[in-house]
Structures are given as structure tokens and as C-alpha cells.
């Protein structure tokens, strides 16, 4: 009698486990769908930035768009170094899905890293552009001084002199302290070369930004493809297709699972009554 009770308890536990795991898989699938939604938003943002770069939008516009990209949380994909032991969504998938989840996580981590590189690069572009604007202001000032020096030599303003020394730009040293038109033409030429160099650097840095954003979009696309495949597997498990439905389509697992459980419980009850009746009969025969 004791053995039969133990058998029925063990059997009941085995029947109940799938009901709880189905709910777990469903929760993991919901988390994955949230990740997919965030991923689609990031892909859309990356495509908009690519369009802005191709259309030669202002640096401030592009910089604002890049800085507004939120880093994607990959925690739902688990630990890539210990995927089989995690309680994340890969626990509901087979080994192939686990590999895809690990690949997706790696791609998203690379996407986050290259996005940070893009932010740092666009910050350099912004700083270089501000410096170019500053150089242009001093260049305009030097041109006005050149016009004034046509009448007679004039002194070099301390602010302009300090700027050129700060940037390591060479300029003629007038022994008398007064600068001629030839001196100012040399100063103008130096400032022009410096401003042009800044412009070249800005163009080169913007090419790097475009390259970073291209890599970012590529990593997102790779991750999205892997996550879609894994999501299909988890969604199939959460709806009970692998246990309770055919390949043709979805069947709600919960009602079927409950029906199976009720049937099993009724069968166990009948079995218990039969065993109890036999043991009672056996006991009566032995007493006789």
C-alpha cells in the first residue's frame, strides 16, 4: 500500500512539472519579444542615422541622433560563458537555439561597443568643428588687420598672438613690434592652412562615424535574425506545440494539459481503489 502511494505521488509530480515549465517558457518568450521590439527600434534609428549621414546633415544633428541611441540590454539572453546553467531564455531551447542565443548576445555586445566608439568619434568631430569655427574667427580678424596695415604697420593683438602660440602655429616676429602687410599675409596663410587641415580631419572622422554606424547596423541585423529563430522555438514550447499540437498550427496547451491531468488523476483514483480493495480482500483471507 505504501509503495503504491509513493508511486502515485511520483507520477503526479511528473505530470505537474510540464504545466509549470510551460508558464516559464511563456514568460521567457515575452522577455524575448520585448528585446526584439527594442532591437527593431535600434535598427530603425541606425537606418535614420545612415540617411542623415548620406544627406550630409549637420554634425550637431547626427551627433544628437547617435547619442540618443539607448544601449540594448542583453541580460535576457543569459551568460554566454555559462549558457546551459542560466535561468534565462536559452533554458527553454535546444542546443541549436542556445548557440543562436549566444551568437545574438555576442552581436549585441559588439553593437553596443561600436556604438560607443561612434559616440566618441562624433564627439571628436564636434570638438574639431568648434575649433575650426574658432580658427575662422581669428582668420577673419587677421584679414581685417591686413587692411589696416596697408596704411601703416600695426601691432599684433595679444589674443591672436596667444591663440597661434597655443596651437603651435608659426608667425613672424616683428622686432619693432609692428606688423606689415607681408607679416599679416603670412599669418593669414598659416591660419588658412590650419583651418583646412581641421576640415580634412572632420571629413575623415565623419567617414569613421559612418563606418561605425554601418557596423552597428550589421551587428543588429545579425542579432535580430538569430533572436527571431530562437523566439520561434520558445513560442512553440510556450504554446505546447511540441507536446500537444501538430505541425499544422497552434493549439492552446493549457486546456489540453489540464484535461490530461484530470484524466490521470481519475485513473490514479481508480487504481488506488482497486489496490485498496485487493489488499482488504487479501487481509480477510489471511485472517481466515
Amino acid at each position: 500500500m505504501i509503495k503504491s502511494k509513493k508511486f502515485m505521488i511520483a507520477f503526479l509530480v511528473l505530470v505537474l512539472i510540464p504545466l509549470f515549465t510551460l508558464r516559464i517558457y511563456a514568460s521567457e518568450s515575452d522577455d524575448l519579444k520585448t528585446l526584439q521590439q527594442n532591437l527593431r527600434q535600434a535598427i530603425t534609428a541606425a537606418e535614420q542615422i545612415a540617411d542623415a549621414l548620406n544627406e550630409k546633415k549637420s554634425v550637431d544633428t547626427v551627433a544628437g541622433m547617435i547619442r540618443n541611441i539607448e544601449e540594448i540590454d542583453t541580460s535576457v539572453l543569459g551568460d554566454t560563458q555559462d549558457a546551459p546553467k542560466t535561468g534565462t531564455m536559452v533554458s527553454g531551447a535546444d542546443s541549436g537555439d542556445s548557440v543562436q542565443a549566444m551568437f545574438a548576445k555576442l552581436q549585441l555586445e559588439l553593437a553596443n561597443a561600436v556604438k560607443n566608439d561612434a559616440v566618441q568619434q562624433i564627439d571628436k568631430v564636434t570638438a574639431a568643428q568648434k575649433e575650426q569655427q574658432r580658427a575662422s574667427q581669428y582668420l577673419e580678424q587677421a584679414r581685417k588687420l591686413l587692411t589696416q596695415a596697408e596704411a601703416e604697420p600695426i601691432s599684433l593683438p595679444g589674443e591672436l598672438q596667444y591663440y597661434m602660440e597655443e596651437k603651435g602655429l608659426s608667425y613672424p616676429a616683428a622686432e619693432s613690434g609692428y606688423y606689415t602687410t607681408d607679416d599679416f599675409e603670412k599669418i593669414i596663410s598659416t591660419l588658412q592652412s590650419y583651418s583646412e587641415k581641421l576640415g580634412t580631419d572632420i571629413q575623415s572622422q565623419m567617414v569613421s562615424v559612418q563606418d561605425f554606424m554601418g557596423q552597428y547596423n550589421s551587428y543588429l541585423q545579425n542579432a535580430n535574425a538569430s533572436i527571431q529563430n530562437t523566439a520561434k522555438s520558445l513560442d512553440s514550447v510556450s504554446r505546447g506545440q511540441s507536446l500537444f499540437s501538430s505541425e499544422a498550427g497552434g493549439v492552446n496547451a493549457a486546456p489540453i494539459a489540464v484535461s490530461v491531468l484530470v484524466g490521470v488523476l481519475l485513473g490514479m483514483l481508480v487504481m488506488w481503489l482497486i489496490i485498496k480493495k485487493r489488499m482488504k480482500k487479501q487481509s480477510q483471507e489471511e485472517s481466515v
Side-chain angles (χ1 to χ4, degrees):
M1 182 66 177
I2 295 176
K3 291 183 179 180
S4 63
K5 287 184 177 181
K6 290 183 178 181
F7 170 78
M8 285 187 289
I9 293 174
F11 192 73
L12 181 60
V13 170
L14 290 175
V15 171
L16 289 175
I17 287 176
L19 293 178
F20 291 101
T21 55
L22 283 175
R23 290 184 178 273
I24 294 173
Y25 295 157
S27 176
E28 291 171 349
S29 180
D30 291 341
D31 292 339
L32 202 58
K33 288 178 181 178
T34 300
L35 175 60
Q36 285 182 288
Q37 181 179 0
N38 295 336
L39 191 52
R40 285 192 294 268
Q41 292 175 353
I43 291 174
T44 299
E47 292 173 347
Q48 291 174 345
I49 292 172
D51 292 338
L53 289 167
N54 292 331
E55 295 170 4
K56 307 296 182 182
K57 296 288 187 181
S58 69
V59 172
D60 290 338
T61 299
V62 175
M65 295 173 70
I66 293 176
R67 294 190 187 103
N68 286 336
I69 297 178
E70 295 184 3
E71 189 165 301
I72 299 176
D73 182 12
T74 62
S75 60
V76 67
L77 297 175
D79 187 354
T80 56
Q81 297 179 350
D82 194 20
K85 296 181 180 180
T86 61
T88 58
M89 69 96 180
V90 294
S91 64
D94 58 24
S95 58
D97 293 323
S98 297
V99 171
Q100 291 195 70
M102 293 168 64
F103 175 75
K105 182 178 176 66
L106 176 60
Q107 293 295 296
L108 290 178
E109 288 175 347
L110 289 172
N112 288 334
V114 79
K115 178 258 181 182
N116 292 333
D117 290 339
V119 170
Q120 294 177 6
Q121 195 67 35
I122 200 67
D123 287 344
K124 291 180 181 179
V125 173
T126 302
Q129 190 178 60
K130 289 180 179 179
E131 177 59 26
Q132 187 181 40
Q133 292 173 352
R134 189 182 177 198
S136 297
Q137 292 174 353
Y138 284 113
L139 178 59
E140 182 64 24
Q141 182 183 12
R143 286 170 175 160
K144 291 180 180 180
L145 292 172
L146 171 64
T147 302
Q148 297 175 15
E150 290 176 352
E152 59 178 350
I154 59 176
S155 60
L156 183 67
E159 183 181 359
L160 177 56
Q161 182 178 355
Y162 174 79
Y163 175 76
M164 297 192 71
E165 290 178 351
E166 178 190 15
K167 301 304 175 182
L169 304 176
S170 62
Y171 62 96
E175 295 181 359
S176 63
Y178 293 95
Y179 287 76
T180 64
T181 54
D182 290 341
D183 294 330
F184 281 110
E185 284 178 353
K186 293 178 182 178
I187 292 174
I188 290 172
S189 177
T190 299
L191 289 171
Q192 280 181 330
S193 297
Y194 178 61
S195 180
E196 290 172 359
K197 180 180 180 299
L198 288 171
T200 301
D201 291 343
I202 290 173
Q203 290 180 357
S204 177
Q205 290 167 350
M206 287 301 291
V207 170
S208 296
V209 170
Q210 192 168 15
D211 182 57
F212 282 137
M213 293 311 302
Q215 294 179 46
Y216 177 74
N217 190 32
S218 178
Y219 289 138
L220 292 181
Q221 295 288 355
N222 292 340
N224 188 45
S226 294
I227 290 175
Q228 283 181 347
N229 292 332
T230 306
K232 289 179 181 178
S233 296
L234 281 178
D235 188 56
S236 176
V237 174
S238 67
R239 288 185 290 124
Q241 289 183 345
S242 61
L243 294 176
F244 302 108
S245 67
S246 64
E247 295 180 356
V251 176
N252 192 350
I256 299 177
V258 171
S259 299
V260 172
L261 178 59
V262 171
V264 170
L265 290 176
L266 290 174
M268 291 172 61
L269 178 60
V270 172
M271 183 184 298
W272 180 76
L273 291 174
I274 293 173
I275 293 174
K276 183 178 180 181
K277 184 176 181 180
R278 287 182 178 179
M279 293 189 66
K280 182 177 180 181
K281 182 178 181 181
Q282 183 178 1
S283 177
Q284 292 175 349
E285 291 176 352
E286 289 177 354
S287 62
V288 173

